[in-house]
Amino acid sequence: MELFGSSGIRGVALRYLTPELVLDIAKAAGTVWDTDRVAVARDTRTTGELFANAAASGLAAVGCDVDRLGVVPTPAVGNYCESAGVPCVLVTASHNPPEFNGIKLVGDDGVELSVDLLERVERRVLDDEYDHADWRTAGATTGVEGVVDDYVDQLVDAVDAEAIADADLTVAIDPGHGAASLASPRIYRELGCDVLTVNATPDGHFPGRESEPVPEHLADLSRLVATSDADVGIAHDGDADRAVFVDETGAFVDGDTSFAAMADACLTPGDAVVSAVNVSQRLVDVCAEHDADLELTPIGATNIITRTRELHAEGTTVPIAGEGNGGVFFPPYRLSRDGAYIGARFLELLAAADGAPASEVIAPYTDYHFVRLNVEYADGDERDGMLSAARAYVETADAEPNTTDGYRLDYGDAWVLVRPSGTEPKIRIYAESADADRAEQLAMDMRVAVESGR
């Protein structure tokens, strides 16, 4: 797809992502959905209202009435769409820096659109082909209140609130100034936890930390946990569809580790797990222990959703899916990522551990060392040159490449993957091994090869 990447459309606001483009995407989505009513929502980014206005105008122009939800977490959008039976144009750039914005399209079942529907929307935009209304049939706009209240209530009802409350947990929350700045602290209080917060004021400039919840951005949360005797820290990205953790010492918990721990708690023989081609060996091991299948897709929520739907149609149970970046799905709950729900499921693990600390709960899944590197490129020509250099390197390697998404080389004791990002102008390199030095070396060797193509 030319417009939609691995998780919607994203770009620097008012440079790549313009009001005109958002208007066209909204018109195309409204045309493809062929419905009388569509929601529009956004995260806290400073350009969010501008683009939400453009989206509302585009929908009204093709005859859709518009429910304006305002600033809400992405999972609250999913809950609203499912309960109200309406799709949504969601203005968010998720974990990207504050100068970015983007668009996600959510169906009336609360789930991001599958690849085939996104392709239909994209084709309408590229062909400039919309079902325009006239002055008599143009859509009207209505503000909707209580969206977050309803989301909080349904989430609390969906987890084992009694067990979490009985565990008497102290939880530190870092929403990163994003859309869950108010919702997530409230959820964990309603689950009976003592809650501490940092970076919990909604602010689209992200003054406390960058939106992506990676170790280098979570020093404040780690410090808060370590100095307050909290049991765990939970951090979100800008739209709160991810959750990552720090343990009771303030140490960062790798997303692949928490994913494996939660998978271990819910898999049974014959189940399937859907993950991306950068899957960690620790999840491979958990699936093998439970005699569960592991289905790999190209990286990105859209691809994972599409494959999970296909497996459901075949009658296969998929209790958990996702990636090691904190974006975990629990399809029996909803086939969308929900950072606060992911956090609550991790709290259920702590509650079931009879007082064992978070570091002990995750210890069985920490045997592998994971490395991720990013190599930025200036334009399409430079990107193509770098990918050509990566391909040449892969063709001479002593391993069979997996080309599901980019190039993955599996060495048995270690693996390395190189692929272009679907959301940023970067080539991403991933490597993993039980030996930290080997993982670092594999990643660096690939980086040298990639940069030789500049």
Side-chain angles (χ1 to χ4, degrees):
M1 290 185 288
E2 294 181 40
L3 294 176
F4 291 96
S6 57
S7 187
I9 294 174
R10 295 183 204 163
V12 175
L14 303 179
R15 288 180 55 193
Y16 173 76
L17 192 74
T18 63
E20 294 83 0
L21 177 56
V22 172
L23 184 84
D24 288 344
I25 292 167
K27 289 193 296 183
T31 298
V32 168
W33 279 323
D34 190 24
T35 183
D36 296 331
R37 188 168 143 229
V38 179
V40 171
R42 66 184 181 91
D43 65 19
T44 58
R45 292 166 192 272
T46 59
T47 55
E49 185 171 8
L50 182 159
F51 290 127
N53 290 341
S57 296
L59 291 166
V62 295
C64 300
D65 290 335
V66 180
D67 293 354
R68 294 295 295 265
L69 309 187
V71 176
V72 292
T74 288
V77 171
N79 181 64
Y80 180 80
C81 291
E82 183 180 31
S83 61
V86 299
C88 181
V89 177
L90 173 58
V91 180
T92 179
S94 189
H95 67 275
N96 288 77
E99 65 271 22
F100 281 71
N101 217 323
I103 299 292
K104 289 183 181 179
L105 300 178
V106 181
D108 60 10
D109 56 355
V111 179
E112 291 180 47
L113 298 194
S114 59
V115 172
D116 60 331
L117 279 174
L118 288 174
E119 288 176 341
R120 288 176 58 193
V121 173
E122 181 172 289
R123 180 48 51 197
R124 291 276 182 170
V125 175
L126 297 177
D127 291 345
D128 196 26
E129 191 174 292
Y130 317 105
D131 293 342
H132 285 109
D134 61 24
W135 66 272
R136 292 163 295 189
T137 56
T141 297
T142 303
V144 179
E145 303 293 335
V147 175
V148 172
D149 295 338
D150 292 342
Y151 161 65
V152 171
D153 290 344
Q154 68 84 30
L155 192 154
V156 171
D157 288 342
V159 298
D160 193 344
E162 183 177 354
I164 293 171
D166 288 346
D168 193 27
L169 299 170
T170 298
V171 180
I173 310 296
D174 182 352
H177 302 289
S181 292
L182 304 180
S184 281
R186 177 179 163 189
I187 286 167
Y188 296 117
R189 288 190 180 101
E190 293 200 15
L191 288 172
C193 303
D194 290 329
V195 174
L196 309 171
T197 63
V198 64
N199 301 320
T201 303
D203 190 331
H205 294 92
F206 306 144
R209 69 163 171 89
E210 291 284 345
S211 181
E212 188 171 15
V214 291
E216 56 266 31
H217 298 160
L218 299 180
D220 290 342
L221 179 62
S222 294
R223 190 179 305 111
L224 177 60
V225 171
T227 59
S228 66
D229 293 325
D231 294 288
V232 67
I234 303 173
H236 299 313
D237 57 344
D239 67 335
D241 66 353
R242 296 194 204 176
V244 299
F245 306 95
V246 300
D247 69 18
E248 78 285 353
T249 71
F252 180 75
V253 177
D254 187 276
D256 286 303
T257 298
S258 55
F259 187 8
M262 290 185 286
D264 202 6
C266 66
L267 286 176
T268 59
D271 288 343
V273 178
V274 180
S275 191
V277 70
N278 61 340
V279 64
S280 169
Q281 186 65 34
R282 62 202 87 187
L283 184 62
V284 175
D285 293 344
V286 166
C287 289
E289 288 168 10
H290 289 279
D291 196 21
D293 293 329
L294 179 61
E295 296 273 343
L296 298 186
T297 73
I299 290 173
T302 300
N303 299 305
I304 291 171
I305 289 168
T306 298
R307 184 56 184 149
T308 301
R309 278 178 159 153
E310 292 171 350
L311 290 169
H312 281 169
E314 297 167 6
T316 302
T317 300
V318 184
I320 191 168
E323 298 175 276
N325 59 7
V328 178
F329 298 80
F330 293 89
Y333 165 69
R334 183 178 293 118
L335 188 50
S336 57
R337 301 180 298 190
D338 184 334
Y341 182 80
I342 297 164
R345 292 294 294 259
F346 193 81
L347 296 186
E348 289 180 348
L349 294 184
L350 298 184
D354 295 325
S359 59
E360 188 173 319
V361 169
I362 64 168
Y365 317 99
T366 57
D367 291 340
Y368 285 80
H369 183 75
F370 185 80
V371 178
R372 186 175 84 165
L373 303 176
N374 293 317
V375 183
E376 295 187 2
Y377 57 81
D379 53 36
D381 289 341
E382 186 169 64
R383 177 198 61 206
D384 292 346
M386 292 162 74
L387 290 175
S388 293
R391 183 173 62 251
Y393 175 83
V394 164
E395 288 173 350
T396 63
D398 187 22
E400 186 69 27
N402 179 317
T403 58
T404 300
D405 184 1
Y407 302 98
R408 174 174 168 135
L409 295 172
D410 219 319
Y411 292 94
D413 67 327
W415 59 268
V416 61
L417 168 70
V418 58
R419 62 175 290 275
S421 169
T423 58
E424 298 177 272
K426 296 176 180 178
I427 304 294
R428 299 202 190 279
I429 299 169
Y430 310 83
E432 186 181 47
S433 174
D435 184 323
D437 290 341
R438 177 147 170 74
E440 294 280 356
Q441 191 62 54
L442 284 171
M444 289 305 300
D445 288 348
M446 182 64 78
R447 179 171 191 158
V448 169
V450 166
E451 290 185 333
S452 72
R454 287 189 186 276

